[in-house]
């Protein structure tokens, strides 16, 4: 198998299916012991990739006989799918592990598993082995397809099972998936990242970039559509470089055109776009598409050229702004969102002013602002000029205010218009309302029946409330 294996590994798939049968035997034993169906609880930290991985974990768990619960305290199997992109994600996991320890004392048959990005770090494994010895199973991001096999090993052994791979060239799809939503789904189109932004741990924990075979992606979407999905989110750390390493290279824009042809599919989204790789071809395809949503998440991270260079982002502020201009000229109604980091080593308040200037110029519909978090093993962690907390805070607060003000202004622009919304769920606060998502990713709440979930309806955007709308369906 070559370095950039992209085809589904059928042999491995068959093996894992055998392990699922074996695991089902153990779960059935537990069912008899408990006198009821065993319950599992999957908790996801982190990004959309992890959310998709969790659907795969849950798919296998339900296949082998567990029923899903969201109440951790009643579960017989608990698994945390972890994230390590910023330290607060790690701290949340440790906090909850402390709680699980006491839960396990009262419920000795409880099994606890940990997986995901955090587990790819040796320091984390060392810490768990030392301080959280009750954990039953630990695996990483590269061998998640072996989950059924790992469960069997766990059921057959008493001690902690740890299986972490440094890399993989295998792609194993078509295992069971338990989707969170009936009408929309994420699809992995690629794994890993080759960009090595100097602050970011993702390339170290997710490995090198690997694209999936386009035919297999299209077949997966076709199967999803046949199963009621109307919206897909194509997932990758840098979707704009999709397909470059395939035996028969294809561009992301070409893949999108293929996806567009799938009958019955109504909406296409994707995440994330790296500005350095966003092509004119993609802008053109988006502009002419009937299905690609009018939303682009285009992380800028910083506005100062000096900081952008130290971050290894490979674009300048001027290049980023020129790209935004090109996108807005082609699609004036497009919503732009971004990610921003404040407090990268060496960043001064005047650098933050450059970032604020970008926010003012671009007028983002939404921006996710993060305080820089030092990640061991990344180049930025070794930089000497780490920024004092008070300086970071000052820049962050200032930026956040501008972000919120511009987002509000942008949102207000659509008030009084009729737009198509995908009806997603019953409103959390008021059960007489349904929540729908507009093409630009904003939410609108309106009176409607639950039976409309998964359908596209025209909604009059009556009032803007900052980050969402209220309205009503028009005929
Ligand atoms: N691949 C995506 C982002 C993945 S991580 C991209 O390149 O856009 C999501 C976001 O987390 C990043 O965009 C960045 O803003 C933020 N992030 C990553 N590493 C971080 C760190 N060390 N400290 C703070 N924020 C970080
Ligand atoms: Fe991290 Fe940069 Fe890769 Fe995004 S593109 S995952 S920020 S290294
Ligand atoms: Fe976190 Fe891993 Fe995603 S580190 S942001 S869950 S790729």
């Amino acid at each position: 198998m070559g370095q950039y294996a992209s085809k589904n590994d059928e042999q491995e798939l068959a093996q894992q299916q055998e392990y699922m049968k074996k695991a089902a035997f153990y779960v059935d034993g537990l069912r008899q012991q408990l006198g009821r169906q065993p319950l599992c609880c999957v908790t996801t930290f982190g990004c959309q990739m992890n959310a998709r991985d969790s659907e795969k974990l849950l798919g296998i768990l339900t296949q082998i006989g567990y029923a899903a619960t969201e109440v951790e305290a009643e579960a017989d199997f608990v698994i945390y799918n972890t994230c390590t992109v910023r330290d607060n994600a790690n701290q949340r996991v440790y906090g909850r592990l402390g709680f699980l320890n006491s839960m396990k004392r009262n419920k000795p048959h409880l099994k606890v598993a940990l997986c995901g990005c955090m587990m790819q770090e040796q320091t984390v494994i060392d810490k768990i082995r030392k301080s959280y010895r009750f954990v039953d199973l630990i695996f990483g991001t590269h061998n998640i397809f072996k989950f059924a096999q790992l469960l069997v090993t766990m059921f057959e052994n008493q001690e902690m099972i740890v299986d972490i791979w440094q890399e993989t060239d295998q792609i194993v799809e078509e295992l069971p998936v338990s989707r969170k939503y009936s009408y929309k789904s994420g699809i992995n189109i690629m794994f890993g990242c080759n960009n090595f932004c100097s602050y970011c741990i993702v390339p170290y924990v997710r490995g090198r970039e690997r694209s999936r075979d386009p035919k297999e992606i299209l077949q997966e979407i076709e199967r999803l559509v046949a199963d009621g999905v109307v919206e897909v989110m194509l997932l990758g750390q840098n979707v704009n470089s999709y397909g470059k390493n395939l035996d028969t290279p294809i561009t992301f824009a070409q893949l999108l055109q293929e996806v567009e042809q799938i009958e019955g599919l109504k909406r296409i989204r994707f995440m994330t776009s790296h500005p350095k790789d966003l092509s004119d071809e993609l802008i053109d395809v988006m502009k002419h598409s009937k299905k690609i949503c009018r939303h682009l998440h285009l992380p800028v991270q910083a506005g100062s050229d000096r900081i952008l260079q130290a971050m290894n982002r490979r674009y300048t502020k001027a290049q980023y702004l020129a790209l935004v201009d090109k996108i807005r000229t082609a699609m004036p109604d497009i919503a732009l969102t971004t990610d921003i980091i404040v407090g990268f080593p060496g960043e001064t308040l005047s650098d933050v002013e450059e970032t604020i200037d970008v926010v003012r110029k671009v007028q983002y519909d939404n921006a996710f602002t993060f305080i820089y978090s030092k990640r061991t093993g990344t180049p930025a962690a070794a930089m000497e000029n780490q920024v004092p907390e008070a300086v970071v805070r000052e820049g962050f607060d200032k930026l956040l205010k501008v972000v919120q003000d511009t987002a509000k202004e942008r949102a207000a622009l659509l008030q009084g218009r009729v737009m198509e919304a995908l009806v997603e769920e019953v409103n959390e606060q008021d059960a007489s309302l349904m929540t729908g998502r507009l093409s630009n990713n904003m939410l609108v709440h309106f009176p409607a029946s639950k039976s409309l979930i998964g359908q596209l309806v025209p909604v009059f955007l009556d009032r803007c409330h900052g980050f969402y709308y209220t309205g009503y369906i028009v005929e």
Side-chain angles (χ1 to χ4, degrees), residues 85 192-204 206 236-238 272-274 276 299 301 311-314 339 341:
V85 77
C193 181
N194 283 354
N195 286 317
F196 291 95
C197 302
S198 63
Y199 50 82
C200 183
I201 199 160
V202 171
Y204 305 88
R206 286 271 172 180
Q237 294 298 351
N238 178 14
T272 299
S273 284
H274 195 305
K276 79 176 163 59
Q301 312 297 1
M311 285 178 162
N312 192 29
R313 289 293 289 181
R314 286 174 276 175
D339 291 344
I341 298 175

Side-chain angles (χ1 to χ4, degrees), residues 214-223 255 258-259 262:
K215 274 198 204 70
E216 289 182 357
I217 295 170
L218 295 169
Q219 282 166 3
E220 183 177 346
I221 300 175
E222 279 162 7
R223 281 197 300 272
L255 177 73
E258 300 276 332
V259 176
I262 296 177

Side-chain angles (χ1 to χ4, degrees), residues 20-39 61-67 155:
M20 272 190 269
K21 287 184 200 150
K22 213 166 170 190
F25 170 79
Y26 289 110
V27 179
D28 192 53
L30 184 61
R31 187 183 60 81
Q32 289 174 27
Q33 182 195 327
L34 298 173
R36 59 167 171 81
Q37 189 176 18
L39 299 173
L61 287 167
T62 49
Q63 177 91 13
I64 64 173
Y66 283 101
F155 286 127

Side-chain angles (χ1 to χ4, degrees), residues 88 115 172 175 373 403 411:
N88 52 11
C115 66
V172 187
L175 283 159
S373 173
V403 161

Side-chain angles (χ1 to χ4, degrees), residues 420-432:
E420 204 169 52
L422 175 63
V423 186
E424 294 206 331
E425 55 202 0
V426 179
N427 183 291
E428 280 175 16
Q429 268 96 47
D430 179 349
S432 72

